[in-house]
């Protein structure tokens, strides 16, 4: 069971981020995740942005002891792919082997435009970049020249202690067809499946079909689902979406929802809590206890 740290619900400084992560570790969460975005604007809400994800993950790697860590998910277009692979293996080293390297193609055009990052042909860019990243993580020395990516005799040194596991976060077929032959896991955001077990079951079956279509045994790919959960007494920091309503209720009721999601095929649930505070993490500890009961 994982939890996402605050992103742009409000301005949260490093001391609170580290404290929430340590509290998540203390109550029994298995993983802690950080969104990878630069800027939100033009959506009818005030302009806002989170801290840079990889710097934050490096800090969390040093500030925690047990929980797995990862970007949810890293936009592959924000960095040169070989540099991104180097960054990921460095964070994995700092964490002593606790990183899951989540990747996606990105979607929020406002931040691409604001930071001068190309937005066009994102699936094509993902295909080339993911290929380079996967080969580098596998220990290869890589030379490649494509339409968007060029590397010449790139290699990761010092040699990473392990191959960092890759997770793809996407519902785009081209992105999935590029990633699923090599990815260890697939993740989906709650709005892609309506935040409901039956919706996840349908989407999950489709992903299995894509995996099989590219020659990958679907059972080899773990399934991860983000779940939007309203915490009792919460402030409503995340706007309600009728197409993907919050899961709410007592810890036992939320635990029952998570069991149904597991029955629908989810190997992992990542809680997106509304609100996300230390108190929320303590309250969610009751959900974890109900799951273990």
């Amino acid at each position: 069971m994982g939890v996402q740290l605050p992103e742009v619900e409000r301005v949260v400084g490093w001391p609170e981020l580290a404290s929430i992560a340590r509290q998540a570790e203390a109550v029994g969460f298995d993983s802690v995740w950080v969104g990878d975005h630069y800027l939100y604007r033009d959506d009818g809400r005030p302009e806002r942005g989170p801290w840079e994800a990889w710097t934050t993950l490096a800090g969390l790697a040093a500030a925690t002891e047990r929980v797995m860590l990862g970007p949810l998910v890293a936009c592959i277009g924000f960095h040169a792919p070989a540099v991104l692979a180097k960054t990921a293996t460095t964070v994995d080293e700092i964490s002593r082997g606790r990183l899951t390297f989540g990747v996606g193609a990105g979607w929020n055009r406002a931040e691409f435009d604001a930071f001068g990052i190309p937005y066009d042909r994102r699936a094509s860019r993902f295909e080339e970049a993911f290929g380079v990243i996967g080969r580098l993580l596998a220990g290869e020395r890589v030379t490649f020249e494509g339409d968007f990516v060029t590397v010449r005799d790139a290699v990761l040194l010092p040699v990473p202690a392990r191959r960092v596991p890759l997770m793809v976060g996407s519902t785009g077929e081209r992105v999935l067809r590029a990633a699923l032959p090599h990815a260890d896991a697939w993740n989906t955001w709650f709005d892609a499946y309506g935040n409901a077990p039956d919706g996840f079951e349908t989407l999950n079956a489709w992903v299995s079909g894509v995996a099989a279509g590219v020659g990958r045994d679907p059972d080899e790919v773990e399934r991860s689902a983000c779940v939007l959960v309203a915490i009792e007494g919460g402030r409503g920091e995340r706007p309600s979406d009728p197409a993907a309503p919050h899961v709410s209720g007592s810890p036992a009721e939320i635990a029952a929802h998570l069991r149904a999601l597991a029955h629908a095929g989810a190997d992992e649930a990542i809680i997106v809590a509304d609100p996300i505070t230390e108190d929320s993490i303590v309250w969610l500890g009751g959900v974890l206890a109900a799951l273990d009961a």
Side-chain angles (χ1 to χ4, degrees), residues 1 27-29 251-252 255 258-259 282-293:
M1 185 71 63
V27 303
F29 277 98
L258 296 174
R259 289 191 192 96
V282 172
W283 191 89
L284 287 167
V287 175
L288 299 180
L291 283 171
D292 290 338

Side-chain angles (χ1 to χ4, degrees), residues 35-241:
D36 184 23
H37 287 284
Y38 291 159
L39 180 68
Y40 289 91
R41 61 161 53 130
D42 303 328
D43 60 357
R45 300 175 64 193
E47 223 176 26
R48 59 214 185 277
W51 301 109
E52 197 279 322
W54 286 102
T55 312
T56 301
L57 285 166
L60 293 170
T64 59
E65 296 290 335
R66 177 187 58 79
V67 287
M68 297 297 295
L69 302 167
L72 194 64
V73 288
C75 178
I76 215 165
F78 285 175
H79 308 274
V83 174
L84 188 56
K86 180 76 172 179
T87 300
T89 55
T90 302
V91 172
D92 192 59
E93 171 66 20
I94 295 169
S95 72
R96 301 175 303 283
R98 292 185 287 126
L99 180 74
T100 296
F101 189 2
V103 294
W107 58 270
N108 180 16
R109 179 156 194 164
E111 60 193 339
F112 282 79
D113 291 346
F115 283 81
I117 301 165
Y119 186 79
D120 66 308
R121 302 183 65 188
R122 284 172 298 131
S124 296
R125 293 176 187 275
F126 181 94
E127 288 167 343
E128 290 189 6
F130 186 84
V132 168
I133 289 171
R135 291 174 63 190
L136 285 170
L137 293 181
E140 294 186 35
R141 187 178 291 268
V142 182
T143 295
F144 176 82
E145 185 167 353
D147 293 332
F148 310 104
V149 177
T150 298
V151 291
R152 296 186 177 90
D153 201 25
V155 63
L156 297 179
L157 295 174
V159 175
R162 64 170 191 147
R163 176 191 168 275
V164 178
L166 280 163
M167 180 179 79
V168 59
S170 179
T171 54
E173 186 168 355
R174 277 188 65 189
V175 169
L176 291 175
R177 288 180 65 85
L180 287 177
H182 311 288
D184 301 281
W186 164 75
N187 170 264
T188 184
W189 196 241
F190 56 82
D191 62 0
Y193 69 95
N195 209 36
D198 57 346
F200 181 81
E201 186 172 24
T202 299
L203 181 59
N204 190 42
W206 177 77
V207 170
S208 291
V210 176
V214 294
R216 183 72 183 277
D217 181 350
D219 290 340
E220 293 178 354
V221 182
E222 292 191 2
R223 313 305 167 97
S224 168
C226 295
V227 186
L228 179 61
V229 173
I231 303 301
E232 193 173 79
R235 295 194 295 261
E237 294 177 330
R238 286 186 173 268
S240 179
D241 182 352

